Amino acid sequence: MDVKKVGELLVEQKLITQDDLLEALDMQKVFPDQPLGQLLCRLGYIKERDLGFVLDQKGKRRKLTDILLSSGVVDQQKVTHANEVAKQNNITFEKSLIKLNYLNEEELSKAVASQFDMPYVDIDAKTLDQTLSRYISAVYAQKQRIAPISKVGNTLTLAMAQPLKSHEFRELEDSFPFKIISVISSETNIAKALKRLYNVTTASTTTANDEVNLDLVPDSIVDLLSKTNSGDEPEIEEETKKVTEKDSVIVKLVNKIIYDAYMNNASDIHIEPYPGKNDVIVRTRIDGQCSVYQRIPYKYKFALPSRIKIMGDLDIAERRRPQDGKIEFKKFGPLDIELRIATMPTVGGLEDVVIRVLATGDPIKFTDLGLTERNLRVFKESIARPHGLVLVVGPTGSGKTTTLHSGLAQINQTNRKIWTAEDPVEITQSGLRQVQVNPRIGFTFAAALRSFLRLDPDVIMVGEMRDEETASTAVEASLTGHLVFSTLHTNSAPETVTRLLEMGLDPYSFSDSLVCILAQRLARRLCKDCKVSIDLTEAEFDDYVNEYGRDEFANIGLDIKDVTMFKAVGCDKCGHTGYRGRLGIHEVLECTDALKGLIKRRADTDHVREQAALDGMCTLKQDGILKVLRGYTDIHEVRRVCIK
């Protein structure tokens, strides 16, 4: 909150004079921790109810989430999660934050005090004068969760966990012949004060449902494992019976694994049992890299897969063939996420389970995709076309769908009808009509695409071109006045052209429909908290230039003095890997007239690549090297994910 603007607002409303404001600002220099509004109240220039009314009416009240985020107490992921838990369990956002241990009572109370322009007080209940109880009745104090904590002259100070509503405060103020000052304190402090003053205990505001749902993942993984009993080699039937009866440790163990994976931004969880008395290995994939999360005692090697299969409505008696399904985790724990599960029989009568954590949410900003200036321009112009075919290609997990949805968000307007067919629908957008395909009942990408053409679309997105039928239908749709987006599993943009021709597409129709192909990879980003800058020698810089291509590098105009490079170190925030988060590495092939001619002649990949380079395309490796020289990642990551 801008205190000066608030002061000016109060002067404009003629609630205080300019001299009053100047006096309060001078006083604030002596008491810098005191909000301006409270100083004006203490000076007697304005009543708290009038101050609160003006702040609320003029929208000058900061949101609690903004205060918490700006102070760094929580991050956006924790705020989102706490909101989800609050909605699921019908509790307040504040109580959800406390229950999830994202902050303590004191941190929350200080944020509330800042939000309402009120001072925070840490009450020492033992020192309270018990005669203060005569000013407020015990029933009213309990109901409103307020406690009188001091009386100096003609001023009574009331501590409260949350500010009273304006009409309640007005009634309270009108019932006293003296001035009232409000302060914020924690729920625990208020409870202790009421116990001291009235010898009463405040009733718990936590419901039984709240306790049950939020207590599903209360323990650390170490605490849970310490509850396990060592024993002999478990029997399949015995362990399956346990999990069917919902053994509490197994339930909590599975919930904790999933909860921790989500909170660490893992994309996949791998549960790997081994024969004999070997531990069950649980690995998680974070930023594209697998690492061991935990070793679980061997006695759970049958129970863990069985519990997960129960959650996904799979057949726990069937252990000889693979199964797949999905889990809506909000039924079992405090996260509103969807999980995809797949089981695979392994040696020794065991089953591996892989759980994919679907990254549901909103599309990322178009400008945050990490495209270079030329690539951003070409891609932006391509998605603005009225018709044509735009492809995003790369291996599984390279962020193709994320890029497509960011592009769709750019053109998602009321004058355009957009249909998408996906498997699964991970990112949702208001304004899109999104469909999940189901190959088991014959509702494939090709079938969805054909149906879309009868629904008067402007833009169509097909999750993947898996066969010639889908590809041909997409090309036909783009030639009949529709803009079509899709993905393909190929290594590079030039290879995509030859792959589709080999798939059986007509080269003339394909060349006329193609607008651009964007190939991408995801490389791990250097951790911003621990990366260390390094000086680049002339010889090292020369090596980078050679790897990029000396002739092409000369066109960039980048000199060694313009280079900022860092190396990975490792800290607690990045799990001592030196990397945290990922960034995109791209190559964008623009379908120019020269390239259309090559497609019609069924040119090979090398000729397509040469022409694309002449048209301004940077390869994946070249784009990666540029991002190394700008300090986003390092050359080891680029070499790991990029081909030549």
Side-chain angles (χ1 to χ4, degrees):
M1 187 186 300
D2 187 334
V3 291
K4 187 178 178 185
K5 287 185 180 177
V6 170
E8 288 176 347
L9 191 60
L10 294 172
V11 173
E12 287 171 12
Q13 296 287 312
K14 297 184 179 178
L15 291 168
I16 61 172
T17 66
Q18 187 67 37
D19 290 339
D20 297 339
L21 174 59
L22 293 173
E23 186 179 346
L25 289 170
D26 286 338
M27 191 174 176
Q28 197 176 43
K29 293 174 184 176
V30 182
F31 303 103
D33 295 333
Q34 291 289 310
L36 180 69
Q38 277 302 309
L39 291 174
L40 286 164
C41 291
R42 289 196 175 204
L43 289 166
Y45 294 144
I46 188 172
K47 290 185 177 181
E48 284 195 3
R49 67 184 183 192
D50 294 329
L51 173 66
F53 179 78
V54 170
L55 292 176
D56 290 331
Q57 285 292 102
K58 298 296 181 180
K60 292 295 180 184
R61 189 82 74 196
R62 287 177 71 191
K63 291 182 180 177
L64 183 64
T65 51
D66 293 339
I67 294 168
L68 292 170
L69 288 169
S70 63
S71 65
V73 178
V74 294
D75 56 27
Q76 186 59 57
Q77 183 183 0
K78 288 179 179 178
V79 167
T80 304
H81 180 213
N83 270 317
E84 290 172 358
V85 171
K87 289 175 185 174
Q88 275 181 253
N89 296 278
N90 196 27
I91 60 175
T92 63
F93 171 67
E94 292 87 345
K95 187 173 286 296
S96 174
L97 286 167
I98 297 293
K99 278 290 185 185
L100 292 165
N101 294 319
Y102 286 161
L103 41 70
N104 57 42
E105 279 193 337
E106 184 180 342
E107 290 170 330
L108 178 61
S109 296
K110 285 180 177 178
V112 171
S114 176
Q115 181 188 21
F116 287 93
D117 203 26
M118 295 166 67
Y120 168 81
V121 174
D122 189 11
I123 305 169
D124 184 1
K126 293 177 184 177
T127 63
L128 288 181
D129 183 354
Q130 288 183 302
T131 61
L132 290 166
S133 60
R134 72 174 185 265
Y135 296 112
I136 303 285
S137 72
V139 174
Y140 188 81
Q142 275 187 284
K143 179 186 174 185
Q144 299 290 2
R145 291 182 296 158
I146 63 174
I149 60 171
S150 84
K151 169 78 165 56
V152 180
N154 200 35
T155 302
L156 178 69
T157 302
L158 294 178
M160 51 194 72
Q162 288 284 339
L164 294 175
K165 293 177 181 175
S166 57
H167 69 275
E168 292 170 339
F169 189 80
R170 194 179 303 115
E171 289 171 3
L172 190 64
E173 212 174 27
D174 292 342
S175 66
F176 285 104
F178 37 73
K179 185 181 174 185
I180 294 177
I181 290 179
S182 304
V183 298
I184 295 291
S185 194
S186 67
E187 292 264 11
T188 302
N189 279 342
I190 299 294
K192 287 178 180 177
L194 292 176
K195 178 73 174 173
R196 164 78 175 168
L197 295 172
Y198 305 100
N199 198 26
V200 295
T201 305
T202 54
S204 173
T205 56
T206 305
T207 64
N209 186 49
D210 172 21
E211 290 293 344
V212 170
N213 282 314
L214 292 183
D215 207 38
L216 282 169
V217 284
D219 308 291
S220 72
I221 194 79
V222 176
D223 292 338
L224 285 170
L225 294 177
S226 69
K227 297 175 184 177
T228 64
N229 299 316
S230 57
D232 297 327
E233 182 76 10
E235 294 285 334
I236 295 179
E237 289 77 13
E238 188 182 317
E239 290 303 306
T240 304
K241 184 180 178 183
K242 274 187 187 179
V243 79
T244 306
E245 292 169 353
K246 296 188 177 179
D247 180 279
S248 63
V249 175
I250 297 169
V251 169
K252 287 183 178 181
L253 198 55
V254 172
N255 283 344
K256 184 62 178 170
I257 291 168
I258 294 169
Y259 180 88
D260 282 357
Y262 174 81
M263 297 311 293
N264 290 321
N265 293 317
S267 58
D268 301 271
I269 307 165
H270 299 257
I271 295 170
E272 304 165 349
Y274 290 87
K277 295 188 177 183
N278 295 303
D279 290 342
V280 178
I281 305 296
V282 180
R283 295 196 287 167
T284 54
R285 187 182 295 278
I286 300 172
D287 292 339
Q289 295 287 293
C290 272
S291 60
V292 174
Y293 159 73
Q294 191 66 49
R295 294 176 180 270
I296 309 291
Y298 69 90
K299 67 170 290 184
Y300 285 124
K301 63 185 178 183
F302 300 121
L304 280 175
S306 294
R307 170 61 186 165
I308 294 165
K309 286 163 76 175
I310 285 172
M311 292 167 73
D313 293 325
L314 303 182
D315 184 359
I316 63 169
E318 178 56 76
R319 301 183 191 89
R320 297 171 299 172
R321 64 183 178 85
Q323 297 184 68
D324 61 84
K326 66 179 181 179
I327 298 171
E328 289 183 19
F329 190 62
K330 65 181 176 182
K331 295 178 183 177
F332 308 99
L335 290 173
D336 188 6
I337 56 173
E338 187 177 322
L339 309 168
R340 289 300 171 100
I341 56 172
T343 68
M344 178 61 69
T346 53
V347 292
L350 301 170
E351 284 181 293
D352 271 36
V353 182
V354 177
I355 304 172
R356 166 151 285 199
V357 183
L358 297 183
T360 55
D362 300 323
I364 67 172
K365 291 181 182 177
F366 192 71
T367 51
D368 291 342
L369 288 174
L371 292 161
T372 59
E373 187 179 348
R374 180 260 174 192
N375 289 347
L376 187 68
R377 175 184 57 78
V378 172
F379 191 54
K380 197 170 184 178
E381 288 173 357
S382 299
I383 63 176
R385 295 278 192 95
H387 55 81
L389 181 64
V390 176
L391 300 174
V392 178
V393 304
T396 302
S398 60
K400 300 185 296 293
T401 304
T402 302
T403 298
L404 279 182
H405 267 282
S406 294
L408 285 174
Q410 279 287 105
I411 60 173
N412 183 8
Q413 298 166 350
T414 53
N415 61 349
R416 285 193 169 191
K417 183 64 178 279
I418 304 175
W419 282 95
T420 77
E422 302 167 70
D423 185 22
V425 176
E426 294 185 49
I427 300 170
T428 56
Q429 286 189 57
S430 176
L432 302 190
R433 308 309 299 149
Q434 295 177 266
V435 173
Q436 186 156 315
V437 299
N438 188 349
R440 292 180 181 176
I441 61 170
F443 188 46
T444 60
F445 282 121
L449 186 50
R450 284 195 300 271
S451 298
F452 287 168
L453 294 175
R454 296 191 289 271
L455 297 171
D456 186 32
D458 294 301
V459 182
I460 297 170
M461 186 186 108
V462 186
E464 188 184 336
M465 286 186 176
R466 291 178 179 169
D467 49 45
E468 191 271 337
E469 183 186 8
T470 309
S472 296
T473 311
V475 168
E476 288 170 17
S478 65
L479 290 172
T480 53
H482 307 95
L483 183 62
V484 180
F485 294 81
S486 191
T487 72
L488 209 66
H489 289 121
T490 53
N491 287 324
S492 67
E495 285 178 39
T496 306
V497 174
T498 50
R499 169 73 65 83
L500 287 168
L501 290 173
E502 287 169 5
M503 207 182 268
L505 289 185
D506 173 53
Y508 287 89
S509 298
F510 177 42
S511 64
D512 287 343
S513 67
L514 185 64
V515 177
C516 89
I517 302 172
L518 184 151
Q520 73 177 55
R521 298 286 188 281
L522 291 178
R524 290 183 297 172
R525 190 186 290 270
L526 290 170
C527 175
K528 64 181 180 181
D529 292 300
C530 63
K531 65 181 181 180
V532 175
S533 62
I534 54 174
D535 294 325
L536 199 62
T537 65
E538 289 285 354
E540 289 170 334
F541 182 70
D542 206 50
D543 288 339
Y544 282 112
V545 172
N546 286 331
E547 192 166 356
Y548 187 95
R550 192 162 291 277
D551 293 337
E552 293 91 338
F553 195 86
N555 297 326
I556 299 172
L558 193 66
D559 196 68
I560 189 169
K561 63 177 181 295
D562 304 319
V563 171
T564 306
M565 286 188 65
F566 297 87
K567 69 174 181 178
V569 178
C571 64
D572 290 336
K573 290 188 177 179
C574 61
H576 299 281
T577 61
Y579 304 95
R580 185 151 55 104
R582 291 193 282 180
L583 78 157
I585 293 172
H586 312 89
E587 66 179 22
V588 179
L589 177 149
E590 185 178 10
C591 194
T592 59
D593 291 338
L595 198 61
K596 289 179 188 291
L598 288 178
I599 295 172
K600 288 171 182 173
R601 295 195 296 274
R602 293 180 178 272
D604 59 27
T605 304
D606 289 338
H607 285 102
V608 173
R609 185 180 291 110
E610 287 169 11
Q611 183 58 53
L614 290 172
D615 294 332
M617 183 189 82
C618 279
T619 65
L620 287 164
K621 185 74 168 287
Q622 290 171 336
D623 192 57
I625 290 171
L626 282 179
K627 283 166 183 172
V628 170
L629 297 175
R630 286 169 183 160
Y632 301 136
T633 185
D634 60 24
I635 194 64
H636 307 296
E637 275 298 294
V638 172
R639 287 171 180 158
R640 182 178 66 83
V641 301
C642 292
I643 58 172
K644 289 183 180 180

